[in-house]
Amino acid sequence: MLLTLLGLLPRPRRILLLLLPVLAATAGAVLGGRSLRRTKGAPGQPPAVSRRSSSASRRPSPVPGRPPAAGGPPSGPCAEDGAPRCGGTLAAVGRTAHRHRRWVLALWAVVLAAGVLIGGRVFESAGTGAQAAGSESARGSAAVAAADPAAGTVTAVVDGPRVDDPAVRSAVTDAARAVSALPGVASVSDAYGSGPAASALRSQDGRASLVVARMADSAGDAQVDAVSARLQEVQQAAPGTRVTVGGDLVLSQEVKHQTARDTRFGELVTLPVTLVVMVLVFGGFAAASLPLIGAVASVGGALLSIFGFSRIMALDTSVLPIATVLGLGLSIDYALLMVNRFREERGRGASVAAAVERTSATAGRTVAFSGVTVAVALSGLFVFTSPVFRAVGAAGVSVVVITVAAALTLVPALLGFAGHRIKAPAGPVPDDGFFARTVRLVQRRALPVALAAVALLAAAGAPFLTARAQSAGAHVLPASFASRAVADTVEKRFPQQAPAPVTVVVEAPQARAQDYARSLADLPGVAGVRPAQQVGDRLSTVDVMVAGDPQGGAAQSVVGELRGHRDGLRTWVTGDAATVVDFKQEIAHRGPPAFALVAVGTLLLLFLMTGSVVVPVKALLMNVLSLGCSLGALTLVFQHGWFSGLLGFTPTGGLESYVPVLVFAFAFGLSMDYEVFLLARIKELRDEGHSSARAVELGLQRSGRIINSAALLMVVVFAGFAAGQMLMIKEMGIALAVAVAVDATLVRCLLVPAAMSLFGEFNWWAPRPLKRLHGRVGLREHVVLPPLPSLRPHLPSLPALSSLSSLPQLPPIPQLPPHLAARLPHPRLPRPAAAAKP
């Protein structure tokens, strides 16, 4: 959203806009300080504790029988209201962030401003077209790029009157001469030259021609725009003509610009809708606005981290929207959890300072643990060698770290400013409600519910078994875009200029390369071979045509045939079909180790949290079922075209080759996120002595509302990004929205209670050696909090009994007549007992 405003303003106003967050932070700090000073002596507020008071006055004597805080002594220095401090690092972090909230807010404002100013440059250095690093297709493309001085082409389709029309001929040739003189242009070709190359630039019906400008390697966006503008002038010079400018360089530009627009559109749609949802969840604007502020700050930090990674590695244009949607979703979820726990603590009678500290000690631990599990799920992407996987993994892990940092520091600081305005609940969450009744109903029919849920999830994931990988190319854009229209026109009307599905890069003299090209015509599946084109010294390319789908099974079989037919030469088989084959091979070879890494890390973390080996394995299997359902929906929608009209896209008959891997990594982490939310409550109740069945019932009753609220917000975020026009962003948004919705409803509300009811007390089983290990190194999700000094510490202190005699005497309360007092609904006080007779 801030990037949108920044791009619309001129440079002086951009600088002013960047200063607004800092000015807002300063104003908030000053106003917050004044509001705190005004409340020092206000009725109904706790007396402020001076910083100059002695340490003895801030250290109450230990109370016998008080339960010790996890990670700390039974009692410690008091908070501002006299409540004993919680032990542990996270409690100290929250306490420090609350105490120095002005500095924390100012620091995050600077991070946001820097992210908006610097992070917007990420798209300038991002590239398009993912390839499997180190594969044969990538090495062949790199060899051609190193030998060919051209960075790409700008292609114009001149359609309308006949190609031989004098006015059209004059306009096109004048434009070609003018373009060749522009800086950054290596060469220009049109249909009015001589030889077979010129005739290939004419359409078969004679009513359209191509003008192809090969740009030098040093050409930038400005030079590409200048060439496009000059070619567009043919329409004015030759009335009746229609000129559409495309080519691979224009395609790259349009992909970058549309990705940026989709990212901004997703933010603009998502943030207002999430604000409305959170107002309904919390019942107030103050509590609802804090997660949004944390989300905006997290996105600013994410932009900074992605810009840093763009300096050291190649980033695809898909990295920024994926990282943005992850940052928005996680930051809103984590802030929602923190604010919800803060409201619970305020409802128990804690002051703002004590509630912030206790929230950091409890919900903060859940946030930190959840962040680790999501980061472990994304770390599996580092096993792959393709730059797109590693770049998304690095950006995703950094975004998780930033969102966790914002939840643990910025949210406590914001609660310090707005905590008094957040409406506390009237009472604790009741132990009986919709979720508790659902669990009891499931527990009575645990086996049928579990079998039905597993069957439904398995059936929903079955379509993914027929998924077809592809490289979308220009089809990532809608048909209304110029580069997409040029690509479709060239494919239909200029078959000699259409990109070949398979290209062989040959390192040999030109004559030897021609002989090799002629020998390929007899290979199975080859429909035709174009003459070898020299691109450098002893380096040529040979285009191989196939019948049918250019990326289908026949084309992929031809790739295998060509790689087995080298004819004693050094060759590299490239092209879209070869790229798909290499991606599939990389996923087949690197996928199992990546999944093993994620699975082992997840099992280890959940064991450290629960002390059980059954619960982690069950969680892993349920996550796999949930992910299968998401991938099945992805296949039905984008490969088979379900709801394509409603979603506004044209199905391409397959899935982008790297999208299922990214969906698996992100959806697995988000599913484990909700698993941690639910298990934290269940484990807490289990440690309090409840049975396994009762712990599941109470755990879902107390956390089901917040889990489903967080899932609804996640679905809103993903749906907002899926409303864009880029096909890859649509695929990611729809798949992740389905994964979150299914996981939070079908899995967490039905399958988890049913499975845990079937296992019973066996849920918490582990071998004795592992039990002893967990006792020494296990993570304690449950934090024993010190008791609050009173139920309502924010009420004024009552005077001591000894001082009551000094109070002024109040007038006597008038008594009701006996006939009226007898009608009161409450019982009257008993009469004093008569004196006993001696």
Side-chain angles (χ1 to χ4, degrees):
M1 181 174 62
L2 295 178
L3 288 176
T4 306
L5 298 176
L6 193 64
L8 296 176
L9 296 177
R11 186 174 297 275
R13 296 184 182 179
R14 294 183 191 182
I15 299 176
L16 177 61
L17 181 61
L18 291 174
L19 294 177
L20 286 180
V22 181
L23 296 176
T26 306
V30 173
L31 294 177
R34 289 181 179 177
S35 64
L36 290 178
R37 287 193 292 271
R38 285 198 301 267
T39 59
K40 283 184 178 181
Q45 298 295 333
V49 179
S50 174
R51 292 185 178 180
R52 298 181 181 178
S53 60
S54 63
S55 60
S57 64
R58 292 184 283 113
R59 295 178 180 269
S61 58
V63 179
R66 173 177 294 172
S75 63
C78 295
E80 295 178 4
D81 60 344
R85 288 180 176 176
C86 303
T89 303
L90 295 177
V93 170
R95 184 167 55 245
T96 303
H98 175 265
R99 181 180 302 166
H100 304 287
R101 49 189 173 272
R102 297 175 197 140
W103 286 105
V104 173
L105 185 59
L107 176 62
W108 279 101
V110 172
V111 170
L112 175 60
V116 172
L117 178 63
I118 300 175
R121 303 178 184 176
V122 173
F123 284 106
E124 299 175 3
S125 58
T128 57
Q131 286 186 320
S135 63
E136 182 174 334
S137 60
R139 294 196 305 270
S141 300
V144 173
D148 191 357
T153 60
V154 176
T155 303
V157 177
V158 183
D159 196 4
R162 298 195 66 85
V163 176
D164 294 330
D165 185 276
V168 175
R169 181 188 185 99
S170 176
V172 171
T173 55
D174 290 345
R177 283 193 299 269
V179 167
S180 62
L182 293 176
V185 178
S187 64
V188 180
S189 303
D190 57 39
Y192 300 101
S194 59
S199 62
L201 299 178
R202 292 171 177 253
S203 64
Q204 295 178 351
D205 59 3
R207 291 189 171 274
S209 65
L210 300 179
V211 181
V212 181
R214 299 178 72 248
M215 305 299 294
D217 191 52
S218 59
D221 290 344
Q223 286 77 17
V224 173
D225 293 339
V227 172
S228 301
R230 182 60 185 89
L231 292 175
Q232 289 283 358
E233 295 177 3
V234 174
Q235 294 185 144
Q236 288 76 31
T241 58
R242 297 184 302 274
V243 178
T244 309
V245 181
D248 52 359
L249 294 181
V250 177
L251 173 65
S252 178
Q253 280 187 337
E254 289 188 339
V255 167
K256 291 179 183 179
H257 295 161
Q258 188 58 40
T259 303
R261 285 193 292 267
D262 284 355
T263 303
R264 292 192 291 263
F265 177 78
E267 295 172 352
L268 289 173
V269 170
T270 295
L271 295 179
V273 177
T274 54
L275 178 61
V276 173
V277 173
M278 283 187 289
V279 168
L280 297 178
V281 171
F282 289 127
F285 180 80
S289 61
L290 296 191
L292 285 187
I293 298 175
V296 173
S298 299
V299 171
L303 290 174
L304 274 181
S305 66
I306 295 173
F307 177 78
F309 282 115
S310 68
R311 302 297 95 183
I312 60 177
M313 65 172 59
L315 294 183
D316 191 77
T317 52
S318 60
V319 172
L320 187 59
I322 293 174
T324 301
V325 72
L326 178 67
L328 280 176
L330 284 181
S331 58
I332 290 175
D333 266 13
Y334 292 161
L336 180 69
L337 185 66
M338 296 283 287
V339 173
N340 184 72
R341 186 59 185 247
F342 174 82
R343 293 177 71 245
E344 290 183 7
E345 296 297 338
R346 288 284 286 166
R348 295 188 181 101
S351 67
V352 172
V356 168
E357 183 176 339
R358 296 163 74 91
T359 298
S360 299
T362 52
R365 294 176 68 89
T366 303
V367 167
F369 196 89
S370 172
V372 173
T373 58
V374 176
V376 167
L378 296 179
S379 65
L381 296 175
F382 292 111
V383 177
F384 297 92
T385 59
S386 296
V388 63
F389 292 139
R390 294 192 172 186
V392 172
V397 171
S398 64
V399 167
V400 171
V401 173
I402 291 170
T403 54
V404 171
L408 297 181
T409 59
L410 179 60
V411 174
L414 294 173
L415 289 173
F417 287 111
H420 293 282
R421 298 179 178 88
I422 294 178
K423 180 181 178 181
V429 178
D431 290 341
D432 192 23
F434 171 77
F435 293 102
R437 291 192 296 270
T438 302
V439 172
R440 290 196 295 268
L441 180 63
V442 170
Q443 288 174 341
R444 288 195 295 267
R445 301 171 179 84
L447 184 59
V449 170
L451 293 177
V454 170
L456 182 60
L457 291 174
F464 183 66
L465 299 176
T466 64
R468 173 180 172 271
Q470 69 173 15
S471 179
H475 292 275
V476 298
L477 291 172
S480 58
F481 281 72
S483 57
R484 167 72 184 277
V486 169
D488 292 343
T489 301
V490 170
E491 183 179 356
K492 295 177 181 178
R493 303 178 66 181
F494 301 88
Q496 294 297 322
Q497 294 295 317
V502 183
T503 299
V504 183
V505 182
V506 185
E507 187 179 46
Q510 178 68 10
R512 184 70 179 88
Q514 292 289 3
D515 294 338
Y516 173 76
R518 285 190 289 268
S519 68
L520 300 181
D522 297 331
L523 293 179
V526 175
V529 180
R530 293 173 182 170
Q533 301 291 327
Q534 187 172 2
V535 296
D537 186 20
R538 293 178 56 86
L539 196 70
S540 302
T541 59
V542 178
D543 291 341
V544 180
M545 312 305 293
V546 297
D549 190 346
Q551 298 182 29
Q556 296 179 26
S557 299
V558 170
V559 171
E561 294 288 342
L562 292 172
R563 288 177 175 175
H565 180 77
R566 309 282 184 179
D567 200 14
L569 299 176
R570 188 180 183 187
T571 63
W572 299 273
V573 181
T574 67
D576 290 342
T579 300
V580 172
V581 170
D582 290 338
F583 258 118
K584 292 170 65 176
Q585 290 179 353
E586 181 184 2
I587 294 173
H589 294 159
R590 299 277 182 166
F595 178 76
L597 173 65
V598 174
V600 171
T602 302
L603 293 175
L604 178 61
L605 288 173
L606 291 182
F607 167 74
L608 293 177
M609 174 184 172
T610 62
S612 167
V613 297
V614 178
V615 171
V617 173
K618 173 187 63 65
L620 183 65
L621 295 177
M622 290 182 181
N623 274 10
V624 171
L625 287 173
S626 176
L627 290 177
C629 178
S630 173
L631 294 174
L634 183 70
T635 305
L636 291 176
V637 173
F638 291 96
Q639 179 170 316
H640 300 289
W642 289 27
F643 311 109
S644 58
L646 179 64
L647 297 174
F649 73 95
T650 302
T652 59
L655 305 178
E656 190 68 37
S657 53
Y658 58 87
V659 165
V661 178
L662 298 182
V663 169
F664 183 89
F666 280 82
F668 190 94
L670 296 176
S671 299
M672 197 56 63
D673 186 38
Y674 296 121
E675 181 75 16
V676 169
F677 287 1
L678 180 58
L679 280 181
R681 286 283 188 164
I682 295 177
K683 184 66 167 58
E684 177 182 348
L685 294 165
R686 173 70 180 173
D687 292 342
E688 292 177 0
H690 293 281
S691 65
S692 180
R694 182 62 172 167
V696 173
E697 177 185 339
L698 292 179
L700 189 60
Q701 170 64 22
R702 297 179 184 180
S703 63
R705 181 174 179 269
I706 194 66
I707 288 177
N708 282 272
S709 300
L712 176 60
L713 294 174
M714 275 280 195
V715 171
V716 169
V717 170
F718 295 144
F721 279 81
Q725 302 200 36
M726 288 292 296
L727 184 62
M728 185 277 302
I729 299 179
K730 279 183 179 291
E731 291 181 358
M732 290 291 299
I734 295 298
L736 293 179
V738 171
V740 170
V742 171
D743 188 83
T745 54
L746 183 60
V747 175
R748 302 297 157 214
C749 295
L750 296 179
L751 187 55
V752 169
M756 297 194 77
S757 299
L758 291 174
F759 285 105
E761 296 300 323
F762 186 68
N763 283 299
W764 315 105
W765 177 85
R768 289 186 179 180
L770 292 181
K771 282 287 187 183
R772 291 193 295 267
L773 177 64
H774 180 265
R776 292 194 298 266
V777 301
L779 301 176
R780 298 295 184 266
E781 179 63 25
H782 175 52
V783 179
V784 181
L785 297 174
L788 294 168
S790 65
L791 291 179
R792 295 290 178 186
H794 54 275
L795 294 177
S797 302
L798 296 177
L801 293 177
S802 59
S803 61
L804 291 179
S805 58
S806 62
L807 296 177
Q809 296 295 327
L810 298 177
I813 300 175
Q815 301 293 327
L816 292 176
H819 67 282
L820 294 179
R823 300 178 182 178
L824 293 177
H826 56 80
R828 289 175 292 177
L829 295 176
R831 297 179 180 178
K837 295 182 180 181

